Coordinates of all heavy atoms in Angstrom, one line a residue:
M1 N -70.8 -32.9 129.2 CA -70.7 -31.5 129.8 C -70.9 -31.6 131.3 O -71.8 -32.3 131.7 CB -71.7 -30.6 129.1 CG -71.5 -29.2 129.5 SD -72.8 -28.2 128.9 CE -74.1 -28.5 130.0
S2 N -70.1 -30.9 132.0 CA -70.2 -30.7 133.4 C -70.3 -29.3 133.9 O -69.6 -28.5 133.3 CB -69.0 -31.4 134.2 OG -69.0 -32.8 134.0
T3 N -71.3 -29.0 134.8 CA -71.3 -27.7 135.4 C -71.0 -27.9 136.8 O -71.6 -28.7 137.5 CB -72.7 -27.1 135.2 OG1 -73.0 -27.0 133.9 CG2 -72.8 -25.7 135.8
V4 N -69.9 -27.2 137.3 CA -69.6 -27.3 138.7 C -69.6 -25.9 139.3 O -69.4 -24.9 138.8 CB -68.2 -27.9 138.8 CG1 -68.1 -29.3 138.2 CG2 -67.1 -27.1 138.1
D5 N -69.8 -26.0 140.7 CA -69.7 -24.8 141.6 C -68.2 -24.5 141.8 O -67.5 -25.4 142.1 CB -70.4 -24.9 142.8 CG -71.9 -25.0 142.6 OD1 -72.4 -24.8 141.5 OD2 -72.6 -25.3 143.7
V6 N -67.8 -23.3 141.6 CA -66.4 -22.9 141.8 C -66.3 -22.4 143.2 O -65.5 -22.8 144.0 CB -65.9 -21.8 140.8 CG1 -64.5 -21.4 141.1 CG2 -66.1 -22.3 139.4
C7 N -67.0 -21.3 143.5 CA -67.0 -20.7 144.9 C -68.1 -19.6 144.9 O -68.7 -19.4 143.8 CB -65.6 -20.1 145.2 SG -65.0 -18.9 144.2
T8 N -68.2 -18.9 146.0 CA -69.1 -17.8 145.9 C -68.5 -16.6 145.3 O -67.2 -16.5 145.2 CB -69.6 -17.4 147.4 OG1 -68.4 -16.8 148.1 CG2 -70.1 -18.5 148.2
L9 N -69.2 -15.7 144.9 CA -68.7 -14.5 144.2 C -67.9 -13.7 145.1 O -66.8 -13.1 144.8 CB -69.9 -13.6 143.7 CG -69.6 -12.6 142.6 CD1 -68.9 -13.1 141.4 CD2 -70.9 -12.0 142.1
A10 N -68.2 -13.7 146.4 CA -67.5 -12.9 147.5 C -66.1 -13.6 147.6 O -65.2 -12.9 148.1 CB -68.2 -12.9 148.8
E11 N -66.0 -14.8 147.4 CA -64.7 -15.6 147.6 C -63.7 -15.3 146.4 O -62.5 -15.8 146.5 CB -65.0 -17.0 147.8 CG -65.6 -17.4 149.1 CD -66.0 -18.8 149.2 OE1 -66.4 -19.4 148.2 OE2 -65.9 -19.4 150.4
L12 N -64.2 -14.7 145.4 CA -63.2 -14.5 144.2 C -63.3 -13.0 143.8 O -63.9 -12.7 142.8 CB -63.6 -15.4 143.1 CG -62.7 -15.5 141.9 CD1 -61.3 -16.1 142.3 CD2 -63.3 -16.1 140.7
P13 N -62.7 -12.1 144.6 CA -62.7 -10.7 144.3 C -61.8 -10.4 143.1 O -61.0 -11.3 142.7 CB -62.1 -10.0 145.5 CG -61.3 -11.1 146.3 CD -61.9 -12.4 145.8
S14 N -61.8 -9.2 142.6 CA -61.0 -8.9 141.4 C -59.6 -9.1 141.7 O -59.1 -8.8 142.8 CB -61.3 -7.4 141.0 OG -60.5 -7.1 139.9
G15 N -58.8 -9.6 140.7 CA -57.4 -9.8 140.9 C -57.1 -11.2 141.4 O -55.9 -11.6 141.5
Q16 N -58.2 -12.0 141.8 CA -57.9 -13.3 142.4 C -58.2 -14.4 141.4 O -58.9 -14.2 140.3 CB -58.8 -13.5 143.6 CG -58.6 -12.5 144.7 CD -57.1 -12.7 145.2 OE1 -56.8 -13.8 145.7 NE2 -56.4 -11.6 145.3
R17 N -57.8 -15.6 141.7 CA -58.1 -16.8 140.7 C -58.4 -18.0 141.6 O -58.1 -18.0 142.7 CB -56.9 -17.0 139.9 CG -55.7 -17.6 140.6 CD -54.4 -17.4 140.0 NE -54.0 -16.0 139.9 CZ -53.0 -15.5 139.2 NH1 -52.3 -16.4 138.5 NH2 -52.6 -14.3 139.2
R18 N -59.1 -18.9 140.9 CA -59.3 -20.2 141.5 C -58.9 -21.3 140.5 O -59.1 -21.2 139.3 CB -60.8 -20.4 141.8 CG -61.3 -19.7 143.0 CD -61.0 -20.5 144.2 NE -61.2 -19.7 145.4 CZ -61.9 -20.2 146.5 NH1 -62.2 -21.4 146.6 NH2 -62.0 -19.4 147.5
Q19 N -58.1 -22.3 141.0 CA -57.7 -23.4 140.1 C -58.4 -24.6 140.6 O -58.5 -24.9 141.8 CB -56.2 -23.5 140.2 CG -55.5 -22.4 139.6 CD -54.0 -22.4 140.0 OE1 -53.6 -22.0 141.0 NE2 -53.2 -22.9 139.0
L20 N -59.0 -25.4 139.5 CA -59.7 -26.6 139.9 C -59.6 -27.5 138.7 O -59.2 -27.1 137.6 CB -61.1 -26.3 140.2 CG -62.1 -25.7 139.2 CD1 -63.5 -26.0 139.6 CD2 -61.9 -24.3 139.1
S21 N -59.9 -28.8 139.0 CA -59.9 -29.8 137.9 C -61.3 -30.4 137.7 O -61.9 -30.7 138.7 CB -58.9 -30.9 138.4 OG -58.8 -31.8 137.4
V22 N -61.7 -30.4 136.5 CA -63.0 -30.9 136.1 C -62.8 -31.9 135.1 O -62.3 -31.6 134.0 CB -63.9 -29.8 135.7 CG1 -65.3 -30.3 135.4 CG2 -64.0 -28.6 136.7
E23 N -63.3 -33.1 135.4 CA -63.2 -34.2 134.4 C -61.8 -34.3 133.8 O -61.7 -34.5 132.6 CB -64.2 -34.0 133.2 CG -65.6 -34.2 133.8 CD -66.7 -34.2 132.7 OE1 -66.4 -34.0 131.5 OE2 -67.9 -34.4 133.1
G24 N -60.8 -34.2 134.6 CA -59.4 -34.3 134.2 C -58.8 -33.1 133.5 O -57.7 -33.2 133.1
I25 N -59.6 -32.1 133.4 CA -59.1 -30.8 132.8 C -58.8 -29.8 133.9 O -59.6 -29.5 134.7 CB -60.1 -30.3 131.8 CG1 -60.4 -31.3 130.7 CG2 -59.6 -29.0 131.2 CD1 -61.6 -30.8 129.8
D26 N -57.5 -29.3 133.9 CA -57.2 -28.3 134.9 C -57.6 -27.0 134.3 O -57.3 -26.6 133.2 CB -55.7 -28.3 135.2 CG -55.3 -29.5 135.8 OD1 -56.0 -30.1 136.6 OD2 -54.1 -30.0 135.7
V27 N -58.4 -26.2 135.1 CA -59.0 -24.9 134.7 C -58.6 -23.8 135.7 O -58.6 -24.1 136.9 CB -60.5 -25.0 134.6 CG1 -61.1 -23.7 134.1 CG2 -60.9 -26.2 133.6
S28 N -58.4 -22.6 135.3 CA -58.3 -21.4 136.2 C -59.4 -20.5 135.9 O -59.7 -20.1 134.7 CB -56.9 -20.8 135.9 OG -55.9 -21.6 136.4
V29 N -60.0 -20.0 137.0 CA -61.1 -19.1 136.9 C -60.6 -17.7 137.4 O -60.0 -17.7 138.6 CB -62.3 -19.4 137.7 CG1 -63.4 -18.4 137.5 CG2 -62.8 -20.8 137.2
F30 N -60.7 -16.6 136.6 CA -60.1 -15.3 137.1 C -61.3 -14.3 137.2 O -62.2 -14.3 136.4 CB -59.1 -14.8 136.0 CG -57.9 -15.7 135.8 CD1 -58.0 -16.7 134.8 CD2 -56.8 -15.5 136.5 CE1 -56.9 -17.5 134.6 CE2 -55.7 -16.2 136.2 CZ -55.7 -17.3 135.3
N31 N -61.0 -13.4 138.1 CA -61.9 -12.2 138.2 C -61.1 -11.0 137.8 O -60.2 -10.6 138.5 CB -62.5 -12.1 139.7 CG -63.5 -10.9 139.8 OD1 -63.4 -9.9 138.9 ND2 -64.3 -11.0 140.7
C32 N -61.4 -10.4 136.7 CA -60.8 -9.1 136.2 C -61.7 -8.0 136.4 O -62.6 -7.8 135.5 CB -60.5 -9.3 134.8 SG -59.2 -10.5 134.4
E33 N -61.7 -7.3 137.5 CA -62.4 -6.1 137.7 C -63.9 -6.5 137.5 O -64.6 -5.7 136.8 CB -62.0 -5.0 136.9 CG -60.5 -4.7 137.2 CD -60.0 -3.5 136.4 OE1 -60.6 -2.9 135.6 OE2 -58.8 -3.2 136.7
G34 N -64.4 -7.6 138.0 CA -65.8 -8.0 138.0 C -66.1 -8.9 136.8 O -67.3 -9.4 136.7
R35 N -65.2 -9.0 135.8 CA -65.5 -9.9 134.7 C -64.9 -11.3 135.0 O -63.7 -11.2 135.4 CB -65.0 -9.3 133.4 CG -65.6 -8.0 133.0 CD -65.0 -7.3 131.8 NE -65.2 -8.1 130.6 CZ -64.4 -8.0 129.5 NH1 -63.4 -7.2 129.5 NH2 -64.6 -8.7 128.5
L36 N -65.6 -12.3 134.8 CA -65.1 -13.6 135.1 C -64.7 -14.4 133.8 O -65.5 -14.4 132.9 CB -66.2 -14.4 136.0 CG -66.6 -13.8 137.2 CD1 -67.8 -14.5 137.8 CD2 -65.5 -13.8 138.2
F37 N -63.6 -15.0 133.9 CA -63.1 -15.9 132.8 C -62.5 -17.1 133.2 O -61.9 -17.2 134.3 CB -62.0 -15.1 132.0 CG -62.4 -13.7 131.5 CD1 -62.1 -12.6 132.2 CD2 -63.1 -13.6 130.4 CE1 -62.4 -11.4 131.8 CE2 -63.5 -12.4 129.9 CZ -63.2 -11.2 130.6
A38 N -62.7 -18.2 132.4 CA -62.0 -19.4 132.7 C -61.3 -19.9 131.5 O -61.8 -19.9 130.4 CB -63.1 -20.5 133.1
I39 N -60.0 -20.4 131.8 CA -59.2 -20.9 130.7 C -58.5 -22.2 131.2 O -58.4 -22.4 132.4 CB -58.1 -19.9 130.3 CG1 -57.2 -19.6 131.4 CG2 -58.7 -18.7 129.6 CD1 -55.9 -18.9 130.9
E40 N -58.1 -23.0 130.2 CA -57.4 -24.1 130.5 C -56.1 -23.8 131.2 O -55.4 -22.8 130.7 CB -57.1 -24.9 129.1 CG -56.5 -26.3 129.4 CD -56.3 -27.1 128.1 OE1 -56.7 -26.5 127.1 OE2 -55.9 -28.3 128.2
D41 N -55.7 -24.5 132.3 CA -54.6 -24.2 133.0 C -53.3 -24.8 132.5 O -52.6 -25.5 133.2 CB -54.8 -24.6 134.5 CG -53.7 -24.0 135.4 OD1 -52.8 -23.3 134.9 OD2 -53.8 -24.4 136.6
R42 N -53.1 -24.7 131.2 CA -52.0 -25.4 130.5 C -51.6 -24.6 129.2 O -52.5 -24.5 128.3 CB -52.4 -26.8 130.1 CG -51.3 -27.6 129.5 CD -51.7 -29.1 129.5 NE -52.9 -29.3 128.7 CZ -52.9 -29.6 127.4 NH1 -51.7 -29.9 126.8 NH2 -54.0 -29.9 126.8
C43 N -50.4 -24.0 129.2 CA -50.1 -23.2 128.2 C -49.9 -23.9 126.8 O -49.5 -25.1 126.9 CB -48.7 -22.5 128.6 SG -48.1 -21.3 127.2
S44 N -50.3 -23.4 125.8 CA -50.3 -24.0 124.5 C -48.9 -24.1 124.0 O -48.6 -24.9 123.0 CB -51.2 -23.3 123.5 OG -50.7 -22.0 123.3
H45 N -47.9 -23.4 124.5 CA -46.6 -23.5 124.1 C -45.8 -24.7 124.6 O -45.3 -25.5 123.7 CB -45.8 -22.2 124.4 CG -44.4 -22.2 124.2 ND1 -43.4 -22.2 125.0 CD2 -43.7 -22.5 122.9 CE1 -42.2 -22.3 124.4 NE2 -42.3 -22.5 123.2
D46 N -45.9 -24.9 125.8 CA -45.0 -26.0 126.4 C -45.6 -26.5 127.7 O -44.9 -26.8 128.6 CB -43.6 -25.6 126.6 CG -42.6 -26.8 126.8 OD1 -43.0 -27.9 126.4 OD2 -41.6 -26.6 127.5
D47 N -47.0 -26.4 127.8 CA -47.6 -26.9 128.9 C -47.3 -26.2 130.3 O -47.5 -26.8 131.4 CB -47.4 -28.4 129.1 CG -47.9 -29.3 128.1 OD1 -48.8 -28.8 127.3 OD2 -47.4 -30.4 127.9
G48 N -47.0 -25.0 130.2 CA -46.7 -24.2 131.5 C -48.0 -23.9 132.2 O -49.1 -24.0 131.7
P49 N -47.8 -23.7 133.6 CA -49.0 -23.5 134.4 C -49.6 -22.2 134.4 O -49.3 -21.3 135.2 CB -48.4 -23.9 135.8 CG -47.0 -23.4 135.8 CD -46.5 -23.8 134.3
L50 N -50.4 -22.0 133.3 CA -50.9 -20.6 133.0 C -51.6 -20.0 134.2 O -51.5 -18.8 134.4 CB -51.9 -20.7 131.9 CG -51.4 -20.3 130.5 CD1 -52.7 -20.2 129.6 CD2 -50.7 -19.0 130.5
G51 N -52.3 -20.8 135.0 CA -53.1 -20.3 136.1 C -52.2 -19.7 137.2 O -52.8 -18.9 138.1
E52 N -51.0 -19.9 137.2 CA -50.1 -19.4 138.2 C -49.4 -18.1 137.7 O -48.6 -17.5 138.4 CB -49.1 -20.4 138.6 CG -49.7 -21.6 139.3 CD -48.7 -22.8 139.4 OE1 -47.5 -22.5 139.3 OE2 -49.2 -23.9 139.7
G53 N -49.7 -17.6 136.5 CA -49.1 -16.5 135.8 C -49.6 -15.2 136.4 O -50.5 -15.1 137.1
D54 N -48.8 -14.1 136.0 CA -49.2 -12.8 136.4 C -50.5 -12.4 135.7 O -50.6 -12.5 134.5 CB -48.1 -11.8 136.1 CG -46.9 -11.9 137.0 OD1 -47.1 -12.4 138.2 OD2 -45.9 -11.4 136.7
L55 N -51.4 -11.9 136.4 CA -52.7 -11.4 136.0 C -52.7 -9.9 135.9 O -52.4 -9.3 136.8 CB -53.8 -11.9 136.9 CG -55.2 -11.5 136.7 CD1 -55.7 -12.0 135.4 CD2 -56.1 -11.9 137.8
D56 N -53.1 -9.5 134.7 CA -53.3 -8.0 134.4 C -54.9 -7.8 134.4 O -55.5 -8.1 133.4 CB -52.7 -7.6 133.1 CG -52.8 -6.1 132.8 OD1 -53.8 -5.5 133.4 OD2 -52.0 -5.5 132.1
T57 N -55.4 -7.2 135.5 CA -56.9 -7.1 135.5 C -57.4 -6.1 134.6 O -58.5 -6.1 134.2 CB -57.4 -6.8 136.9 OG1 -56.7 -5.6 137.4 CG2 -57.0 -8.0 137.9
A58 N -56.6 -5.0 134.2 CA -57.1 -4.0 133.4 C -57.2 -4.5 131.9 O -58.1 -4.3 131.2 CB -56.1 -2.8 133.4
A59 N -56.2 -5.3 131.5 CA -56.1 -5.8 130.2 C -56.8 -7.2 130.0 O -57.0 -7.7 128.9 CB -54.7 -5.9 129.6
C60 N -57.1 -7.9 131.2 CA -57.7 -9.2 131.2 C -56.7 -10.2 130.4 O -57.2 -10.9 129.5 CB -59.1 -9.2 130.6 SG -60.3 -8.4 131.6
T61 N -55.5 -10.2 130.9 CA -54.5 -11.1 130.4 C -53.8 -11.7 131.4 O -53.7 -11.3 132.6 CB -53.5 -10.4 129.5 OG1 -52.8 -9.4 130.3 CG2 -54.1 -9.7 128.3
V62 N -53.2 -12.9 131.1 CA -52.4 -13.7 132.1 C -51.1 -14.0 131.3 O -51.1 -14.3 130.1 CB -53.1 -15.0 132.6 CG1 -53.3 -16.0 131.5 CG2 -52.3 -15.5 133.8
E63 N -50.0 -13.9 132.0 CA -48.7 -14.2 131.4 C -48.1 -15.5 131.9 O -48.0 -15.7 133.1 CB -47.7 -13.0 131.9 CG -46.3 -13.1 131.2 CD -45.5 -11.9 131.5 OE1 -46.0 -10.8 131.7 OE2 -44.3 -12.2 131.6
C64 N -47.9 -16.3 131.0 CA -47.3 -17.7 131.4 C -46.0 -17.6 132.1 O -45.1 -16.9 131.7 CB -47.1 -18.6 130.1 SG -46.4 -20.1 130.4
P65 N -46.0 -18.2 133.3 CA -44.8 -18.1 134.1 C -43.5 -18.9 133.5 O -42.5 -18.6 134.0 CB -45.2 -18.7 135.5 CG -46.4 -19.6 135.1 CD -47.0 -19.1 134.0
R66 N -43.8 -19.7 132.5 CA -42.6 -20.5 132.0 C -41.8 -19.7 131.1 O -40.6 -19.5 131.2 CB -43.1 -21.8 131.5 CG -42.0 -22.7 131.1 CD -42.4 -24.1 130.9 NE -42.8 -24.8 132.1 CZ -43.4 -26.0 132.1 NH1 -43.7 -26.6 131.1 NH2 -43.8 -26.5 133.3
H67 N -42.4 -19.2 130.0 CA -41.6 -18.4 129.0 C -42.2 -17.1 128.6 O -41.7 -16.4 127.7 CB -41.4 -19.2 127.7 CG -40.9 -20.6 127.9 ND1 -41.7 -21.8 127.7 CD2 -39.8 -21.0 128.3 CE1 -41.0 -22.8 127.9 NE2 -39.8 -22.4 128.3
G68 N -43.2 -16.7 129.4 CA -43.7 -15.3 129.3 C -44.7 -15.0 128.2 O -45.0 -13.8 128.0
A69 N -45.3 -15.9 127.5 CA -46.4 -15.6 126.5 C -47.6 -15.0 127.2 O -48.0 -15.5 128.4 CB -46.8 -16.9 125.8
K70 N -48.2 -14.0 126.7 CA -49.4 -13.4 127.3 C -50.6 -13.9 126.6 O -50.6 -14.0 125.3 CB -49.4 -11.8 127.2 CG -48.7 -11.3 128.4 CD -49.0 -9.8 128.4 CE -48.1 -9.1 129.4 NZ -48.0 -7.7 129.3
F71 N -51.6 -14.2 127.4 CA -52.9 -14.7 126.7 C -54.1 -13.8 127.1 O -54.1 -13.4 128.3 CB -53.2 -16.1 127.2 CG -52.3 -17.2 126.7 CD1 -51.1 -17.4 127.2 CD2 -52.7 -18.0 125.6 CE1 -50.2 -18.4 126.7 CE2 -51.9 -19.0 125.1 CZ -50.6 -19.2 125.6
D72 N -55.0 -13.6 126.1 CA -56.2 -12.9 126.4 C -57.2 -13.9 127.0 O -57.4 -14.9 126.5 CB -56.7 -12.4 125.1 CG -58.1 -11.7 125.2 OD1 -58.1 -10.6 125.6 OD2 -59.1 -12.4 124.9
L73 N -57.7 -13.5 128.2 CA -58.6 -14.4 128.9 C -59.8 -14.6 128.3 O -60.5 -15.7 128.5 CB -58.7 -13.8 130.4 CG -57.4 -14.0 131.3 CD1 -57.7 -13.2 132.6 CD2 -56.9 -15.3 131.4
A74 N -60.4 -13.7 127.6 CA -61.7 -13.8 127.0 C -61.7 -14.7 125.8 O -62.6 -15.5 125.7 CB -62.2 -12.4 126.5
S75 N -60.6 -14.7 125.0 CA -60.6 -15.5 123.8 C -59.7 -16.7 123.9 O -59.8 -17.6 123.1 CB -60.2 -14.7 122.6 OG -58.8 -14.3 122.8
G76 N -58.7 -16.6 124.8 CA -57.8 -17.7 125.0 C -56.6 -17.6 124.0 O -55.7 -18.4 124.0
R77 N -56.7 -16.5 123.2 CA -55.6 -16.4 122.2 C -54.3 -15.8 122.8 O -54.4 -14.9 123.6 CB -56.1 -15.4 121.1 CG -57.2 -16.0 120.2 CD -57.4 -15.3 118.9 NE -58.6 -15.6 118.3 CZ -59.7 -14.8 118.3 NH1 -59.5 -13.6 118.9 NH2 -60.8 -15.2 117.7
P78 N -53.2 -16.2 122.3 CA -51.9 -15.7 122.8 C -51.7 -14.3 122.1 O -52.0 -14.1 120.9 CB -50.9 -16.7 122.2 CG -51.5 -17.3 121.1 CD -52.9 -17.3 121.3
L79 N -51.2 -13.4 122.9 CA -51.0 -12.0 122.3 C -49.5 -11.8 122.1 O -49.1 -10.8 121.4 CB -51.4 -11.0 123.4 CG -52.9 -11.1 123.8 CD1 -53.2 -10.1 124.9 CD2 -53.8 -10.8 122.6
T80 N -48.7 -12.7 122.7 CA -47.2 -12.6 122.5 C -46.6 -14.0 122.2 O -47.2 -15.0 122.8 CB -46.5 -11.9 123.6 OG1 -46.7 -12.6 124.8 CG2 -47.0 -10.4 123.9
L81 N -45.5 -14.0 121.6 CA -44.8 -15.3 121.5 C -44.1 -15.6 122.8 O -44.0 -14.7 123.7 CB -43.7 -15.1 120.4 CG -44.2 -15.0 118.9 CD1 -43.1 -14.5 118.0 CD2 -44.9 -16.1 118.5
P82 N -43.7 -16.9 123.1 CA -43.5 -17.9 122.1 C -44.8 -18.7 121.9 O -44.8 -19.6 121.0 CB -42.4 -18.8 122.7 CG -42.6 -18.6 124.1 CD -43.0 -17.2 124.3
A83 N -45.9 -18.5 122.5 CA -47.1 -19.2 122.1 C -47.8 -18.7 120.9 O -47.7 -17.5 120.7 CB -48.0 -19.2 123.3
Y84 N -48.3 -19.5 120.1 CA -49.1 -19.0 118.9 C -50.4 -19.8 118.7 O -51.2 -19.4 117.9 CB -48.2 -19.1 117.6 CG -47.6 -20.5 117.4 CD1 -48.3 -21.5 116.7 CD2 -46.4 -20.9 117.9 CE1 -47.9 -22.7 116.4 CE2 -45.8 -22.1 117.7 CZ -46.6 -23.1 117.0 OH -46.1 -24.3 116.8
E85 N -50.7 -20.8 119.6 CA -52.0 -21.5 119.5 C -52.8 -21.0 120.7 O -52.3 -20.8 121.8 CB -51.7 -23.0 119.6 CG -51.0 -23.6 118.5 CD -51.9 -23.8 117.2 OE1 -53.2 -23.8 117.4 OE2 -51.3 -24.1 116.2
P86 N -54.1 -20.9 120.5 CA -54.9 -20.5 121.6 C -55.1 -21.6 122.7 O -54.9 -22.8 122.3 CB -56.3 -20.2 121.0 CG -56.3 -21.0 119.8 CD -54.9 -21.1 119.3
V87 N -55.4 -21.2 123.9 CA -55.8 -22.2 124.9 C -57.3 -22.3 125.0 O -58.0 -21.3 124.5 CB -55.3 -21.9 126.3 CG1 -53.7 -22.0 126.3 CG2 -55.7 -20.6 126.8
E88 N -57.9 -23.3 125.6 CA -59.3 -23.5 125.6 C -59.9 -22.5 126.6 O -59.4 -22.2 127.7 CB -59.8 -24.9 126.0 CG -61.1 -25.2 125.6 CD -61.3 -26.7 125.6 OE1 -60.5 -27.5 125.7 OE2 -62.5 -27.1 125.5
T89 N -61.1 -22.0 126.3 CA -61.9 -21.2 127.3 C -63.1 -21.9 127.6 O -63.6 -22.7 126.9 CB -62.2 -19.8 126.7 OG1 -63.0 -19.9 125.5 CG2 -60.9 -19.0 126.4
F90 N -63.8 -21.5 128.8 CA -64.9 -22.2 129.2 C -65.9 -21.2 129.7 O -65.5 -20.1 130.4 CB -64.6 -23.1 130.4 CG -63.5 -24.1 130.1 CD1 -62.2 -23.9 130.3 CD2 -63.9 -25.3 129.4 CE1 -61.2 -24.8 130.0 CE2 -62.9 -26.2 129.1 CZ -61.5 -25.9 129.4
P91 N -67.2 -21.3 129.6 CA -68.2 -20.4 130.1 C -68.3 -20.4 131.6 O -68.2 -21.4 132.2 CB -69.6 -21.0 129.5 CG -69.2 -22.0 128.4 CD -67.8 -22.5 128.8
V92 N -68.5 -19.1 132.1 CA -68.7 -18.9 133.5 C -69.9 -18.2 133.8 O -70.1 -17.1 133.0 CB -67.4 -18.2 134.1 CG1 -67.5 -18.0 135.6 CG2 -66.1 -18.8 133.7
T93 N -70.7 -18.6 134.7 CA -71.9 -17.9 135.0 C -72.0 -17.7 136.5 O -71.3 -18.4 137.2 CB -73.2 -18.7 134.5 OG1 -73.1 -20.0 135.1 CG2 -73.3 -18.7 133.0
V94 N -73.0 -16.8 136.9 CA -73.2 -16.6 138.3 C -74.7 -16.8 138.6 O -75.5 -16.2 137.9 CB -72.7 -15.2 138.8 CG1 -73.0 -15.0 140.3 CG2 -71.3 -15.0 138.5
E95 N -74.9 -17.7 139.5 CA -76.3 -18.0 139.9 C -76.5 -17.9 141.4 O -75.7 -18.7 142.1 CB -76.8 -19.4 139.4 CG -77.2 -19.5 138.0 CD -77.6 -20.9 137.6 OE1 -78.3 -21.6 138.4 OE2 -77.2 -21.3 136.6
D96 N -77.3 -17.1 141.9 CA -77.5 -16.9 143.4 C -76.1 -16.7 144.0 O -75.8 -17.4 145.1 CB -78.2 -18.2 144.0 CG -79.6 -18.3 143.4 OD1 -80.2 -17.2 143.2 OD2 -80.1 -19.4 143.3
H97 N -75.3 -15.9 143.5 CA -73.9 -15.5 144.1 C -73.0 -16.6 144.0 O -71.9 -16.6 144.6 CB -74.1 -15.0 145.4 CG -75.0 -13.8 145.6 ND1 -74.7 -12.5 145.2 CD2 -76.3 -13.8 146.0 CE1 -75.7 -11.7 145.4 NE2 -76.7 -12.4 145.9
I98 N -73.3 -17.8 143.3 CA -72.3 -18.8 143.1 C -71.8 -18.8 141.8 O -72.5 -18.7 140.7 CB -73.0 -20.2 143.3 CG1 -73.8 -20.2 144.7 CG2 -72.0 -21.4 143.2 CD1 -72.8 -20.3 145.9
I99 N -70.4 -18.8 141.7 CA -69.8 -18.9 140.4 C -69.8 -20.3 139.8 O -69.4 -21.3 140.5 CB -68.3 -18.4 140.5 CG1 -68.2 -17.0 140.9 CG2 -67.6 -18.6 139.1 CD1 -66.9 -16.5 141.3
K100 N -70.3 -20.5 138.6 CA -70.4 -21.8 138.0 C -69.6 -21.9 136.8 O -69.6 -21.0 136.0 CB -71.9 -22.1 137.7 CG -72.7 -22.2 139.0 CD -74.2 -22.5 138.7 CE -74.9 -22.7 140.0 NZ -74.7 -23.9 140.7
L101 N -69.0 -23.1 136.5 CA -68.1 -23.3 135.4 C -68.6 -24.4 134.6 O -69.0 -25.5 135.2 CB -66.7 -23.7 136.0 CG -65.7 -24.2 135.0 CD1 -65.3 -23.1 134.0 CD2 -64.5 -24.7 135.8
E102 N -68.7 -24.2 133.4 CA -69.1 -25.3 132.4 C -68.0 -25.8 131.6 O -67.2 -25.1 130.9 CB -70.2 -24.7 131.5 CG -71.1 -25.6 130.9 CD -72.2 -24.9 130.0 OE1 -73.1 -24.3 130.6 OE2 -72.0 -24.9 128.8
V103 N -67.7 -27.1 131.7 CA -66.6 -27.8 130.9 C -67.2 -28.8 130.2 O -68.0 -29.7 130.6 CB -65.6 -28.4 132.0 CG1 -64.5 -29.1 131.2 CG2 -65.0 -27.2 132.8
S104 N -66.9 -28.9 128.8 CA -67.4 -30.0 128.0 C -66.2 -30.6 127.2 O -65.2 -30.0 127.1 CB -68.4 -29.5 127.1 OG -67.9 -28.3 126.3
Ligands
FES201 S1 -44.9 -22.8 128.4 FE1 -46.0 -21.0 128.3 S2 -44.8 -19.6 127.2 FE2 -43.7 -21.5 127.1

């Protein structure tokens, strides 16, 4: 398991995202109106770059830019086809205004 610093809380305001690679896993961290989520940056349908998709901060969803499947950021579950398998999610915490990501 690895815990890494993502950035400061001020550097990731609502509606923004950070993409990083931890131990060979590409992860995207999102701020949805103050709630922080991290998911694997690889769509379960056909490996699309989920972290680059449209973010809906009210619903806390991201839409895959390749074929349009929407994923719930909290659970990693797809809400629409063509994806039907969930993507991995990762714990995010804040300590002393630093966003920390745990990847195992
Ligand atoms: S690769 Fe994401 S919906 Fe197809």
Side-chain angles (χ1 to χ4, degrees):
M1 184 187 81
S2 292
T3 301
V4 298
D5 292 353
V6 178
C7 61
T8 66
L9 202 47
E11 289 172 324
L12 190 68
S14 181
Q16 299 295 307
R17 70 198 72 189
R18 283 278 170 137
Q19 293 170 276
L20 63 161
S21 185
V22 183
E23 295 188 352
I25 302 172
D26 292 328
V27 179
S28 291
V29 182
F30 298 88
N31 184 334
C32 291
E33 300 180 0
R35 299 172 67 201
L36 299 170
F37 301 100
I39 62 169
E40 187 176 4
D41 190 2
R42 185 167 58 94
C43 182
S44 60
H45 173 239
D46 192 26
D47 296 340
L50 260 191
E52 296 169 17
D54 285 343
L55 173 64
D56 182 333
T57 58
C60 290
T61 60
V62 67
E63 183 175 330
C64 179
R66 189 164 291 171
H67 306 113
K70 269 190 192 170
F71 288 82
D72 178 80
L73 291 174
S75 67
R77 291 199 195 102
L79 302 173
T80 62
L81 293 172
Y84 55 89
E85 295 281 343
V87 295
E88 198 163 352
T89 59
F90 305 95
V92 183
T93 56
V94 178
E95 280 180 41
D96 295 329
H97 304 285
I98 305 291
I99 298 171
K100 294 181 179 280
L101 169 68
E102 203 175 281
V103 174
S104 55

